[in-house]
Amino acid sequence: MKPTIRARTILFALALALTACEAHPSVFAPAGPASRSIATLGGWVTGIFCVVAVVVIGLVAVAAFRRRGTLETHEPFDAGGGHKWILIGGFAVPSVILAVIFVATLGTIDRFPLHDGEHYRPDIRVVGRQWWWEVQYVGDKTLVATTANEIHVPLGWPVEIELESRDVIHSFWVPALHGKVDLVPGRKNRIRIVADEAGRYEGQCAEYCGLQHSRMMFAVVAEPMEDYQRWLAHQAEPAKAPSSPEAARGLELFETKACGLCHTVRGSRAGGGVGPDLTHLASRQGIAANSYPRSRAYLQAWITHAQSLKPGNQMPNVTAMTGDELNAIATYLEGLQ
């Protein structure tokens, strides 16, 4: 028996409600001064438009359900009249609302600092690529450490981030910490973020950049200054030597097979610059730009069939290896703390 229109409507509403229950970063859960200003503005704008929507729906309902009379009781269509309400409802009211929102937006933007290009020194440089994020920690114009898809910042400190793109336009967006800032090829943009609360904040590319745009994710980890300095010092170190025969075998395979041509592991012969730096891969929580958790199963699947997990990315399927070789490489990568 085919479902009735009412049943279909109920099923659609349930599916929509279940979809809305999925957790996503929200601009209305700010954890920094910039995001708090944006959330305040967004709250007022949302409230204004909700009021406008209720008024419009109410007027439509009144027009739909009021008694219309007969053709004999109506004036001819060319009788005129009602122009005043068109001017009020169609021009005056929207103009006032949009002007108020425009002024409030300018006031919010004015709170964000402008940077002196001549004397600007970033703490972190983020490079957008299809489809992952390269993160470079810069100290006095010297590269301290390179990682990917996970940005650590000290709690409560302003962090200057320089944004670049190596291919197409991307957009750096951490809803809990700041608004969107574009990464434009051939141009350097800047953003200052401050995290008031310790935690892990999910970010996302907010500008459509190709096939895997929706899986170009990253995370910002805010932690106390002592923990941040300890983490950064560890990231600056080369990878430790393998701690087991199987891991040593994995390092040998990593260097001699295709892995080392595209990826860098500092302290080894692998020095490729096409893919992310894997020197401390095991210290990160995700792989494939945080598309998947860093578990052994996903790690092995990514090594051998990256195109099935993230079609179109630059990592090819690497199937020319035995099961023992795959286990050895996975063991080595899991030891890159």
Side-chain angles (χ1 to χ4, degrees):
M1 183 177 65
K2 294 183 178 180
T4 63
I5 294 178
R6 176 177 293 183
R8 291 177 181 177
T9 304
I10 293 173
L11 289 174
F12 175 76
L14 288 173
L16 189 63
L18 291 174
T19 303
C21 291
E22 186 178 351
H24 289 285
S26 173
V27 296
F28 295 112
S35 57
R36 198 166 290 114
S37 297
I38 295 172
T40 300
L41 175 65
W44 279 105
V45 171
T46 301
I48 290 172
F49 279 103
C50 284
V51 171
V52 171
V54 169
V55 171
V56 171
I57 292 172
L59 292 175
V60 171
V62 170
F65 292 104
R66 75 186 181 93
R67 296 184 62 182
R68 293 176 174 80
T70 64
L71 291 175
E72 289 76 12
T73 61
H74 281 280
E75 293 181 340
F77 71 91
D78 57 351
H83 295 163
K84 177 180 67 175
W85 292 110
I86 294 176
L87 292 174
I88 294 174
F91 293 95
V93 173
S95 297
V96 170
I97 293 175
L98 292 176
V100 169
I101 293 173
F102 178 71
V103 172
T105 301
L106 291 180
T108 300
I109 294 175
D110 190 53
R111 298 190 186 100
F112 298 153
L114 295 176
H115 306 284
D116 187 344
E118 183 179 353
H119 303 288
Y120 178 76
R121 288 189 178 181
D123 302 304
I124 300 172
R125 182 180 297 111
V126 174
V127 181
R129 301 172 182 265
Q130 288 179 309
W131 291 272
W132 59 282
W133 307 85
E134 181 179 353
V135 185
Q136 303 172 357
Y137 289 81
V138 184
D140 294 329
K141 298 184 178 180
T142 302
L143 184 62
V144 176
T146 301
T147 181
N149 306 314
E150 196 170 283
I151 305 170
H152 285 240
V153 298
L155 181 64
W157 287 74
V159 178
E160 303 288 349
I161 301 178
E162 188 175 75
L163 302 171
E164 301 179 15
S165 173
R166 295 292 165 81
D167 37 54
V168 299
I169 297 177
H170 302 284
S171 188
F172 183 92
W173 188 32
V174 192
L177 298 178
H178 208 286
K180 305 172 184 178
V181 178
D182 285 349
L183 291 74
V184 181
R187 178 175 178 175
K188 296 180 180 179
N189 280 344
R190 295 150 186 175
I191 185 174
R192 176 185 295 173
I193 61 173
V194 182
D196 291 340
E197 304 173 16
R200 180 182 176 91
Y201 303 101
E202 302 301 325
Q204 172 73 48
C205 177
E207 180 77 24
Y208 180 73
C209 56
L211 182 62
Q212 291 298 327
H213 159 70
S214 63
R215 288 183 175 174
M216 187 174 172
M217 298 174 284
F218 64 98
V220 175
V221 180
E223 53 196 354
M225 178 61 80
E226 297 79 8
D227 295 340
Y228 168 75
Q229 291 176 335
R230 190 181 306 113
W231 175 88
L232 184 58
H234 177 68
Q235 293 294 313
E237 297 174 353
K240 293 183 178 180
S243 57
S244 68
E246 185 176 35
R249 171 64 173 155
L251 170 58
E252 179 185 356
L253 292 167
F254 189 91
E255 292 175 331
T256 56
K257 287 188 176 290
C259 310
L261 297 176
C262 295
H263 295 281
T264 291
V265 174
R266 284 176 279 118
S268 75
R269 291 181 293 166
V274 178
D277 187 306
L278 302 181
T279 304
H280 298 287
L281 171 67
S283 67
R284 307 169 201 162
Q285 294 188 17
I287 61 171
N290 292 342
S291 299
Y292 300 97
R294 186 191 47 77
S295 66
R296 189 179 185 89
Y298 275 120
L299 188 59
Q300 291 180 321
W302 180 254
I303 293 170
T304 57
H305 291 84
Q307 291 302 314
S308 65
L309 295 178
K310 198 170 180 179
N313 82 94
Q314 293 190 26
M315 180 159 172
N317 293 331
V318 183
T319 56
M321 64 176 67
T322 66
D324 290 339
E325 290 175 334
L326 177 60
N327 284 326
I329 293 177
T331 299
Y332 168 65
L333 294 176
E334 289 179 330
L336 295 177
Q337 292 289 343

